[in-house]
Amino acid sequence: MTKTGRVLATGAVVSLGAGALSVIGAGSANAAPITLERNFNYQCQVVAGGLDLGVQDIGVLASTTVPDSVSPGEVIPETQVNISLTLPELLRQSTALLLGGREAEGASTDSAVELTTGGQTTTVAIPRLASPRTAIPQTAGAPWVIPATGTVPPITTPDYAVDSVSIGLPARFNIAATIYKADNSTIPSTLSCTGPADRVLGSIGVTEPTTEPTTEPTTEPTTEPTTEPTTEPTTEPTTEPTTEPTTEPTTEPTTEPTTEPTTEPTTVPTTTPTTVPTTVPTTTPTTVPTTQPTTTPTTRPTTTPTTVPTTAPTTPGDTIVPVNFKLKGSTTIKAGNGTAPLTGSIAAQFNLNKGTFDADLKLNDTTAKLKALGFLPVDAQLSFKPVGKTTGALSAGKLTATSKTDIFIPSVKSFGLKIGGGAQCKTSSPSTIPLTSTGAAFDPLKGGAVEGTYSVAKLQGCGLLNDLLSIFASGSGNKITATLAP
């Protein structure tokens, strides 16, 4: 038996590794225990709190103690297995920074193990296995490792088992996990995992129960017939006739004829044929075939495959998570001493690898209640046309974003009469609106409050009263406050 070596985003993955191993069981009473250990890579689709965190490369180091051999029909008793889950940095970052997770736990109820022997494969369901609530590292690059154990009920070795029983991990499994935040609130998560083609942890030898029938028939029949007949007839007849005739005739005829014919014919034929044929054929075939085939195939195939596959998987692509918010708030127009309600939406794409995002901002048309010249009531209709994407970042619960938008004023009325505006009436340059989250840490699953201050450029294309309208519409110090929510 040999040990083999080479797993997951939340604690739920624990159930997979333990489930797959536990069926292997503990050693039988008549077999020596051995340890199997190997690492496996699983591709897991991770969803946390409704956010699709993409497919994550998760690994599990599985180890267990098993008997080195079993017999058909033999029961492998229940056993404890140990696994260590290593979660990728990208998942740690998104769980800790994006979601604010501090601890995680999880379990699986549909994992299984595959036993293959005698050309047949049996799938054995694994009972619920779980990882305990463990801390999520909060430091960049810190390894996120989750240890777990599990116990599996006894397994009976199939009657058709021959040669060995191969033990394989499940091809697919699902995990239900829970992420805990600092305030002990929870985020439900799921993982749907698919394993590699090679999922064999190891194998157990199969031995036939041949001990009992072999011992009984072999001992009894062999002892009795051999002892009695052999002793009596051999001693008596051999002694008398052998002594007298053997001494006299053996000496005379043996000496003379043996010396002459043996010496001459043995020397001549032995020396000549042995030297010639042995030297020539041995040297030629050995040197030529050994040198040529060994050098050529070894050098080329080894160098090429090793370099190419190792480099490619080391550079993962960006993982993008879509997050959508509704926006509700208001803005003040400082120059016009008025306010306008704001509604709209933000469709963001979070880059988990970089902790940044870009978004499409949509602000609905609204009407600002202003005062021209400090006392004249004016209703200014506002329309927004974003310029480019809203960009920003989310780090340590702090959201920052920057948007650019052109502001159009289709209509300006006072006492119900239109005094300006139009399709071409707009700010002479886009307004840059920086936003920063306020209050508690911004939660991408629940949203939060944001605020910012921006300027409005002078107006253009607003008709005869263009300059007058700019006086109570343009300027700096305009404030926006809003709430983002799913």
Side-chain angles (χ1 to χ4, degrees):
M1 236 18 216
T2 58
K3 296 181 183 178
T4 54
R6 189 176 136 52
V7 216
L8 279 227
T10 59
V13 177
V14 167
S15 56
L16 159 67
L21 296 176
S22 52
V23 73
I24 300 171
S28 70
N30 300 319
I34 59 173
T35 299
L36 302 179
E37 183 174 279
R38 190 180 179 189
N39 239 323
F40 296 89
N41 284 332
Y42 275 79
Q43 297 291 313
C44 301
Q45 182 74 43
V46 183
V47 177
L51 291 183
D52 185 352
L53 300 182
V55 177
Q56 302 290 334
D57 187 6
I58 298 174
V60 56
L61 174 64
S63 67
T64 188
T65 300
V66 298
D68 64 354
S69 63
V70 293
S71 298
E74 181 179 348
V75 176
I76 304 175
E78 67 177 18
T79 185
Q80 178 174 298
V81 295
N82 301 295
I83 65 172
S84 292
L85 306 175
T86 301
L87 283 62
E89 168 61 18
L90 180 58
L91 191 55
R92 186 209 65 79
Q93 178 180 340
S94 59
T95 305
L97 301 182
L98 184 63
L99 303 179
R102 294 296 180 269
E103 294 178 303
E105 65 180 1
S108 174
T109 57
D110 68 348
S111 60
V113 68
E114 296 176 351
L115 304 180
T116 302
T117 183
Q120 300 184 50
T121 298
T122 302
T123 300
V124 181
I126 305 301
R128 181 182 184 275
L129 293 161
S131 66
R133 183 168 168 176
T134 57
I136 300 173
Q138 301 298 306
T139 305
W144 187 7
V145 179
I146 300 177
T149 59
T151 302
V152 171
I155 299 296
T156 301
T157 304
D159 292 336
Y160 54 80
V162 293
D163 299 331
S164 65
V165 178
S166 175
I167 303 156
L169 272 66
R172 294 180 181 82
F173 66 92
N174 296 291
I175 297 164
T178 301
I179 298 173
Y180 293 87
K181 303 183 68 173
D183 60 0
N184 216 35
S185 60
T186 60
I187 302 172
S189 306
T190 60
L191 294 88
S192 300
C193 302
T194 301
D198 177 11
R199 302 184 305 280
V200 177
L201 176 67
S203 59
I204 302 175
V206 175
T207 58
E208 295 296 332
T210 55
T211 304
E212 293 182 2
T214 302
T215 304
E216 293 180 4
T218 301
T219 304
E220 293 180 5
T222 301
T223 305
E224 292 180 4
T226 302
T227 306
E228 293 180 5
T230 301
T231 305
E232 293 180 5
T234 301
T235 306
E236 294 180 5
T238 301
T239 306
E240 293 180 5
T242 301
T243 306
E244 293 179 6
T246 301
T247 308
E248 293 180 5
T250 300
T251 308
E252 292 179 6
T254 301
T255 307
E256 293 179 5
T258 302
T259 307
E260 292 179 5
T262 303
T263 307
E264 292 179 5
T266 302
T267 306
V268 176
T270 302
T271 307
T272 304
T274 302
T275 306
V276 177
T278 302
T279 306
V280 176
T282 302
T283 306
T284 304
T286 302
T287 306
V288 176
T290 302
T291 305
Q292 291 179 352
T294 302
T295 305
T296 304
T298 302
T299 304
R300 293 180 182 174
T302 301
T303 305
T304 304
T306 301
T307 305
V308 176
T310 301
T311 307
T314 327
T315 358
D318 292 342
T319 300
I320 306 300
V321 177
V323 182
N324 298 319
F325 295 109
K326 294 178 181 178
L327 181 150
K328 185 176 182 180
S330 63
T331 181
T332 60
I333 308 297
K334 184 178 180 180
N337 193 23
T339 61
L342 294 176
T343 58
S345 62
I346 295 178
Q349 299 287 321
F350 276 90
N351 186 321
L352 295 184
N353 304 71
K354 301 175 181 178
T356 60
F357 69 89
D358 57 47
D360 292 319
L361 171 66
K362 180 182 179 182
L363 292 175
N364 299 323
D365 292 350
T366 187
T367 299
K369 297 289 187 178
L370 308 176
K371 290 183 178 180
L373 305 177
F375 65 92
L376 185 64
V378 173
D379 294 335
Q381 185 179 352
L382 306 179
S383 182
F384 305 92
K385 184 178 181 181
V387 178
K389 296 276 190 179
T390 295
T391 59
L394 178 60
S395 178
K398 196 73 171 179
L399 176 75
T400 56
T402 301
S403 303
K404 287 187 177 183
T405 182
D406 284 323
I407 302 176
F408 288 79
I409 306 179
S411 173
V412 179
K413 294 182 179 180
S414 182
F415 298 107
L417 298 176
K418 184 175 181 178
I419 59 175
Q424 303 302 317
C425 182
K426 61 184 287 283
T427 53
S428 56
S429 62
S431 293
T432 298
I433 306 176
L435 293 174
T436 303
S437 60
T438 61
F442 187 87
D443 189 337
L445 301 178
K446 299 179 181 179
V450 295
E451 66 179 17
T453 301
Y454 65 100
S455 298
V456 176
K458 291 183 178 181
L459 304 181
Q460 63 181 19
C462 297
L464 296 176
L465 299 179
N466 184 91
D467 293 342
L468 178 61
L469 295 177
S470 287
I471 294 176
F472 60 83
S474 303
S476 60
N478 306 294
K479 189 173 183 179
I480 181 173
T481 58
T483 299
L484 303 180

